[in-house]
Amino acid sequence: GQSLEQPSEVTAVEGAIVQINCTYQTSGFYGLSWYQQHDGGAPTFLSYNGLDGLEETGRFSSFLSRSDSYGYLLLQELQMKDSASYFCAVRDRTDSWGKLQFGAGTQVVVTP
Amino acid sequence: DAGVIQSPRHEVTEMGQEVTLRCKPISGHNSLFWYRQTMMRGLELLIYFNNNVPIDDSGMPEDRFSAKMPNASFSTLKIQPSEPRDSAVYFCASNVEAASGGELFFGEGSRLTVL
């Protein structure tokens, strides 16, 4: 089976940096993905880490340490529009490429 | 390009009624997924298809739920009879099976309320 743990909520001010941690337990592991979901909207893909290290996409970066079964999403220069839920998701090596197990999500609240 | 298209966007029905949710995946995508999202249980995978064939339906809650994919451009999720605990947002997602990167493309969801 699989389990993922991430904080339920993080609050920060505009311009700040937020790090959302995700720890996982899987019988196998193929990669860690991050998704963003605004209230009432659909989850949208942010990033994917298949190998250890940092992936940077604009203001967002994602990190993976396979040996620690740990990853994080880093949101920099926070903007009000970044207020949303952020989900980590893992793909088990034994599963299809697309079969993702999602964490419970972290609600990020950005204040002025 | 059109994304994943779901219908209806909202459905309110009474307990015992049949509900059919529809999904058109992105053209060229050969994998299709039905997820359900609730506050209590988060995002749960119900079933997924690869090349129109159901691969894993272990997440389907019970026999009241069924899903079909008669062709590469259409899938349905049916609940019969519906119950209040089925109230949730149902998302359809698609991707290319062999693509790396872990990206799923989600539709806007169908919000179901069973009274």
Side-chain angles (χ1 to χ4, degrees), chain A residues 32-79:
Chain A
L32 182 70
S33 303
W34 290 92
Y35 284 76
Q36 178 193 60
Q37 185 179 29
H38 287 99
D39 279 349
T44 56
F45 174 81
L46 289 177
S47 68
Y48 172 77
N49 294 76
L51 301 174
D52 286 358
L54 191 68
E55 295 283 340
E56 298 180 83
T57 308
R59 295 185 296 113
F60 295 176
S61 304
S62 59
F63 173 82
L64 175 66
S65 169
R66 297 167 71 102
S67 60
D68 295 322
S69 297
Y70 162 77
Y72 66 72
L73 180 69
L74 193 70
L75 315 179
Q76 302 181 77
E77 300 172 21
L78 275 179
Q79 301 177 7

Side-chain angles (χ1 to χ4, degrees), chain A residues 33 35 37 40-45 47-48 87 91 95-104, chain B residues 9 33 35 37 43 45 48 56 58 91 95 97-104 106-108 111:
Chain A
S33 303
Y35 284 76
Q37 185 179 29
T44 56
F45 174 81
S47 68
Y48 172 77
F87 297 86
R91 172 183 301 122
D95 286 337
S96 156
W97 279 105
K99 184 181 175 184
L100 298 179
Q101 177 78 32
F102 284 85
Chain B
R9 291 294 311 278
F33 308 81
Y35 281 86
Q37 187 174 37
L43 268 166
L45 178 65
Y48 82 93
D56 185 343
S58 60
F91 287 103
N95 75 350
E97 164 73 14
S100 63
E103 182 170 7
L104 282 182
F106 283 82
E108 290 300 312
R111 182 175 294 275

Side-chain angles (χ1 to χ4, degrees), chain B residues 23-44:
Chain B
C23 175
K24 176 179 170 57
I26 294 173
S27 177
H29 285 188
N30 61 348
S31 290
L32 182 140
F33 308 81
W34 283 101
Y35 281 86
R36 176 171 70 175
Q37 187 174 37
T38 61
M39 288 295 294
M40 289 295 294
R41 300 175 69 88
L43 268 166
E44 303 174 275

Side-chain angles (χ1 to χ4, degrees), chain B residues 61-114:
Chain B
E62 50 198 270
D63 291 345
R64 297 185 297 106
F65 285 68
S66 62
K68 294 182 179 180
M69 192 165 186
N71 57 62
S73 59
F74 183 66
S75 176
T76 59
L77 178 68
K78 186 174 293 187
I79 309 172
Q80 167 63 22
S82 58
E83 296 182 3
R85 60 191 168 127
D86 301 331
S87 297
V89 181
Y90 291 80
F91 287 103
C92 177
S94 70
N95 75 350
V96 178
E97 164 73 14
S100 63
E103 182 170 7
L104 282 182
F105 297 82
F106 283 82
E108 290 300 312
S110 294
R111 182 175 294 275
L112 174 65
T113 302
V114 183

